[in-house]
Amino acid sequence: MEPLISIVTVSFNSEKTIRQTIESVLNQTYTNIEYNIVDGASTDKTVEIATQYKDDFEAKGIKYIITSEKDKGIYDAMNKGMDRATGSWIIFMNAGDTFCDNEVIKNIFGYNDLSDYSVIYGDCYVSKLNQLQYLKASNMK
């Protein structure tokens, strides 16, 4: 059986970036996911935008949870997301983050026995000064 993957997105006033993150999760071909958006009581349209995707996630059989409440900062929000997660693995994606393609979760969790691992990390793209940089996991500092 494929493991349940919990994805946690923390956000605060992220109306400009939350949509791309939500759609990146929604478009994954692996669907044994629960998606938790932990919002820090945004005063913009972040929660309104996130709520628009509820039916799309439900149609794919993905549990979709949005909470919006004051927190003590990003790490408090991440801890709340971790406490609410019920999956075997947790992926943290901040508002604005995206998967590099629609098969990422399937390629990692759909084909591999990862029972001997407690942390998984990999290459990533980082946007700095409007330029996309590719960072190999072995070179991250």
Side-chain angles (χ1 to χ4, degrees):
M1 171 108 184
E2 295 177 330
L4 176 64
I5 308 302
S6 296
I7 301 174
V8 175
T9 294
V10 297
S11 65
F12 180 71
N13 288 341
S14 302
E15 69 181 356
K16 293 180 180 168
T17 59
I18 193 70
R19 188 177 304 278
Q20 68 191 37
T21 305
I22 293 169
E23 290 178 3
S24 182
V25 174
L26 181 62
N27 291 328
Q28 288 296 299
T29 57
Y30 188 97
T31 58
N32 196 17
I33 295 171
E34 68 175 11
Y35 187 29
N36 290 282
I37 296 177
V38 181
D39 180 77
S42 289
T43 56
D44 67 359
K45 296 184 184 207
T46 302
V47 175
E48 180 182 324
I49 291 167
T51 302
Q52 294 170 0
Y53 289 89
K54 187 176 182 348
D55 291 341
D56 297 322
F57 279 94
E58 191 174 289
K60 285 186 80 173
I62 296 174
K63 186 176 179 184
Y64 187 58
I65 305 127
I66 305 165
T67 55
S68 184
E69 61 193 23
K70 286 250 184 227
D71 56 47
K72 297 174 186 166
I74 191 169
Y75 298 111
D76 183 39
M78 290 172 78
N79 284 330
K80 287 180 181 185
M82 200 164 35
D83 288 345
R84 294 173 182 149
T86 62
S88 302
W89 292 90
I90 300 173
I91 298 172
F92 287 100
M93 294 186 73
N94 293 328
D97 291 351
T98 60
F99 290 109
C100 67
D101 65 49
N102 296 340
E103 300 284 322
V104 170
I105 298 177
K106 184 176 184 178
N107 287 336
I108 295 169
F109 297 101
Y111 304 116
N112 301 297
D113 176 11
L114 301 170
S115 57
D116 290 337
Y117 296 89
S118 42
V119 174
I120 301 168
Y121 64 96
D123 299 350
C124 67
Y125 289 96
V126 176
S127 179
K128 288 186 180 179
L129 302 173
N130 294 324
Q131 289 189 327
L132 206 56
Q133 295 178 329
Y134 178 75
L135 298 178
K136 295 220 27 95
S138 59
N139 296 334
M140 287 188 214
K141 295 178 181 165

